[in-house]
Amino acid sequence: MKALTIKDIARLSGVGISTVSRAINDDPRINAKTKEHVLDVVKKYHYVPNDTARALQATESNTVGILVRGMDNIFFQRMYHNFEDDFESRGYDCVTHAVDSDEVLMDTAMRFERERRLKGLIFLGGKLSPPYEPYKNLLVPLVCCTVAHDMEDPLKEFYAVSVDDEKEGYRATEYLLSKGHRRIAIIAGLPGDRTVGGQRLKGYRAALKQHGIEPDESLIQYMDPDIQEFSAENGYQSAKALLERTRDFTALFCISDVIAFGASRAIYEAGLSIPEDISLLGFDGMWIGEYMKPALTTVAQPLDIITRKAVDMLISQLEGEDSPRQVTYDTLLIERDSVKDIS
């Protein structure tokens, strides 16, 4: 009978090769239950590790990296912990690195890969734009997680996981329509945006038209290009500009919760109430929205599911297994107190 290899033990245990190596080498970073399970399989099949292979495994890096564009964005904060926990449970170390707004993502990725001897990379947040050829110079597998892309170019070159922003912009608007609102304003992305903001705006327009309502351009407020995008300050200034132009609307759809936080202040400063005068709908599902007054109704991205899938995609590539290249998930509507039913 042919001697079993570490790859055979990994398959029989249902874990990665690196996890088997950690169990055999008594690495303290491995989950105790996973270690016990692997060692039971080792004992059952009388597996004898090859000393040379063990020595090689001991010197190899078992670290994956998370490159984050927008480290201070509270939307991502829970995701960091999810990544750390998920990778640790699968036998990998995880390090996070912030990408500054003036850094070239590809240059940073290659330097990060080299200096930390990474086995794989996840891009979290930010935008990817063609040409994509330079990214093929990366020597390790890559997964894009909630990375923005041009609406005409859905990152087909990459493994990617996210929500469908156009579809979810449609569903968010349709929710407000179901509550009887017909004059629905929106704080969209920057003028000419073809990524997240543009896609959610496209969904907004489509939902209105589907219900026989021609979008009113006076109700579309773009973010201020001179203020940090997707910030509370931009939400405040954008809502203020909208209200100075018109108050002829009953609901306001903000394409992020952070924008909604800022918009709520502008609404109150204008002498209006939420939701009595204006219903307010956010997007992302940030926990802090529960502590607004009134608590923010929001379209929640399934962050736990998204991060887990990104981990699965990366590990599948590391272990030579097949994996879907493009995965999108539906959002979940969290109804709180900021939307009024006027139907």
Side-chain angles (χ1 to χ4, degrees):
M1 179 180 176
K2 183 180 177 182
L4 291 177
T5 67
I6 192 171
K7 187 173 182 178
D8 294 323
I9 296 299
R11 177 177 52 80
L12 292 166
S13 303
V15 299
I17 293 173
S18 58
T19 302
V20 175
S21 176
R22 285 192 170 193
I24 293 170
N25 288 288
D26 198 25
D27 191 316
R29 293 169 292 180
I30 189 174
N31 177 276
K33 289 185 177 180
T34 302
K35 175 183 174 182
E36 181 181 2
H37 169 64
V38 171
L39 292 180
D40 284 344
V41 174
V42 168
K43 183 177 180 181
K44 178 179 178 180
Y45 290 93
H46 307 289
Y47 171 66
V48 178
N50 178 281
D51 288 339
T52 302
R54 288 181 63 180
L56 179 61
Q57 288 285 341
T59 61
E60 284 184 342
S61 166
N62 208 38
T63 303
V64 295
I66 313 294
L67 268 183
V68 187
R69 179 83 79 175
M71 180 71 88
D72 57 349
N73 188 336
I74 60 175
F75 173 66
F76 292 134
Q77 288 176 3
R78 193 174 84 206
M79 299 179 80
Y80 307 148
H81 299 296
N82 286 350
F83 278 125
E84 290 174 358
D85 292 344
D86 288 348
F87 276 119
E88 182 179 352
S89 70
R90 304 286 288 273
Y92 291 85
D93 293 322
C94 177
V95 291
T96 302
H97 181 79
V99 183
D100 293 334
S101 58
D102 59 348
E103 286 186 271
V104 177
L105 180 60
M106 185 58 201
D107 292 346
T108 303
M110 294 186 71
R111 185 170 62 252
F112 188 36
E113 171 196 339
R114 182 178 64 253
E115 292 176 354
R116 300 305 295 262
R117 298 172 55 237
L118 300 177
K119 296 194 75 170
L121 263 173
I122 289 180
F123 286 174
L124 178 60
K127 301 176 184 178
L128 281 190
S129 302
Y132 297 130
E133 198 65 29
Y135 293 95
K136 295 179 181 179
N137 293 327
L138 286 170
L139 302 178
V140 298
L142 169 67
V143 173
C144 297
C145 182
T146 64
V147 171
H149 58 85
D150 188 284
M151 61 178 71
E152 301 301 328
D153 193 349
L155 297 181
K156 291 181 180 179
E157 298 282 327
F158 302 90
Y159 286 84
V161 56
S162 64
V163 299
D164 183 328
D165 288 296
E166 180 181 339
K167 174 182 174 182
E168 300 308 335
Y170 181 102
R171 293 177 65 192
T173 308
E174 193 169 53
Y175 166 72
L176 292 173
L177 290 164
S178 75
K179 296 298 182 181
H181 298 278
R182 292 297 178 268
R183 298 287 294 172
I184 301 171
I186 183 173
I187 297 180
L190 297 176
D193 181 16
R194 294 173 56 83
T195 59
V196 172
Q199 289 164 32
R200 293 177 189 173
L201 175 60
K202 187 177 180 181
Y204 158 87
R205 291 180 185 275
L208 291 177
K209 289 181 178 179
Q210 183 66 31
H211 287 77
I213 302 171
E214 188 62 29
D216 184 342
E217 295 301 313
S218 71
L219 300 183
I220 299 173
Q221 177 65 44
Y222 296 97
M223 291 185 206
D224 188 329
D226 295 325
I227 302 174
Q228 181 183 342
E229 195 176 0
F230 289 97
S231 66
E233 181 186 2
N234 211 323
Y236 170 71
Q237 294 294 348
S238 297
K240 192 173 178 180
L242 172 65
L243 289 163
E244 287 172 354
R245 183 171 68 250
T246 179
R247 297 190 180 187
D248 185 21
F249 57 94
T250 62
L252 175 59
F253 170 32
C254 297
I255 65 165
S256 84
D257 286 350
V258 175
I259 291 295
F261 300 157
S264 67
R265 176 181 168 183
I267 291 170
Y268 288 127
E269 286 186 358
L272 302 171
S273 297
I274 303 170
E276 290 76 18
D277 298 313
I278 296 177
S279 289
L280 186 64
L281 177 65
F283 194 111
D284 282 334
M286 293 182 180
W287 61 269
I288 199 170
E290 186 176 350
Y291 297 93
M292 280 181 59
K293 187 175 181 181
L296 182 65
T297 295
T298 181
V299 177
Q301 299 199 48
L303 298 188
D304 294 346
I305 296 173
I306 286 173
T307 52
R308 192 174 305 119
K309 187 61 181 181
V311 170
D312 287 343
M313 279 183 162
L314 190 62
I315 291 179
S316 293
Q317 292 181 75
L318 291 173
E319 299 182 353
E321 300 171 3
D322 291 331
S323 173
R325 294 188 68 91
Q326 307 283 315
V327 178
T328 58
Y329 289 101
D330 290 340
T331 58
L332 174 68
L333 181 73
I334 300 178
E335 289 192 275
R336 295 189 180 119
D337 306 318
S338 65
V339 173
K340 180 181 179 181
D341 190 331
I342 62 172
S343 58

